[in-house]
Amino acid sequence: GGITALDSYGDTGRPDLIPKAHISFLQNCVPFFETETHFFIHANYKPDVQLEKMDDDTLRWLSLRDFVPSPHCSGKIAVVGHTPHQAAILDLGHLICLDTGCCSGGLLTAFDVISRQGWQVNERGLCHCTLSFTATPARSENTMKVSLSHNDLGFWFLDDENGRSFP
């Protein structure tokens, strides 16, 4: 959290210890990043609000435990964090949550949204090199039943109800 970040600069809670270049970097960060197929935000979104008009509380603080949005009006896939999932990437089709609890002793996850390949490391930097998904909750006719399996190299695969595997 905030105090831990401040402590990493030295004396507890002293913002004056933060280098000016770091403050400048943070002041110039954008609230979201968008590609042709995806948008990337910290916490959450409102499905019927354009990203440019989204409020800061939703973008930065609204947990998926409090509100799981439907697909965004842009039609793009949302990539979020902020709500940890036990070492598994949460994939709802229209929303991918990459937070795997790194700040509380879980794994740090990186994910290529195009190839759908992922990498995970623990706090010592040891690579788990896994790709795992949390199955989509049954909410609509568009969901499919899935199961997880992994190969001898430790890579996880998502198997659908028709027996197809997706790395």
Side-chain angles (χ1 to χ4, degrees), residues 34-83:
E34 200 170 5
T35 68
E36 289 183 27
T37 56
H38 296 77
F39 64 91
F40 302 80
I41 55 176
H42 175 71
N44 210 330
Y45 65 92
K46 293 177 182 169
D48 56 343
V49 177
Q50 295 295 325
L51 293 173
E52 305 81 35
K53 297 181 181 186
M54 198 78 56
D55 63 282
D56 287 341
D57 280 347
T58 300
L59 289 172
R60 295 190 175 111
W61 296 106
L62 183 59
S63 172
L64 292 174
R65 288 186 195 94
D66 298 324
F67 176 71
V68 178
S70 58
H72 189 256
C73 59
S74 67
K76 296 179 180 186
I77 296 170
V79 181
V80 305
H82 188 66
T83 307

Side-chain angles (χ1 to χ4, degrees), residues 8 34 56 66 70 72 76 87 114-115 120 128 130 133 141 147 154 156 159:
S8 73
E34 200 170 5
D56 287 341
D66 298 324
S70 58
H72 189 256
K76 296 179 180 186
I114 305 302
S115 71
Q120 294 178 316
H128 288 259
T130 62
F133 290 86
E141 298 171 8
S147 61
W156 287 93
D159 300 319

Side-chain angles (χ1 to χ4, degrees), residues 38 96 110-119 131 133 166-167:
H38 296 77
I96 299 169
F111 185 71
D112 182 330
V113 297
I114 305 302
S115 71
R116 301 184 65 78
Q117 184 174 6
W119 301 267
L131 175 60
F133 290 86
F166 303 92

Side-chain angles (χ1 to χ4, degrees), residues 96-146:
I96 299 169
C97 182
L98 299 179
D99 191 331
T100 50
C102 177
C103 70
S104 58
L107 301 173
L108 175 64
T109 299
F111 185 71
D112 182 330
V113 297
I114 305 302
S115 71
R116 301 184 65 78
Q117 184 174 6
W119 301 267
Q120 294 178 316
V121 296
N122 65 17
E123 61 189 20
R124 291 183 302 274
L126 299 176
C127 184
H128 288 259
C129 300
T130 62
L131 175 60
S132 57
F133 290 86
T134 299
T136 305
R139 293 183 182 202
S140 72
E141 298 171 8
N142 296 329
T143 58
M144 69 172 126
K145 294 179 183 174
V146 295

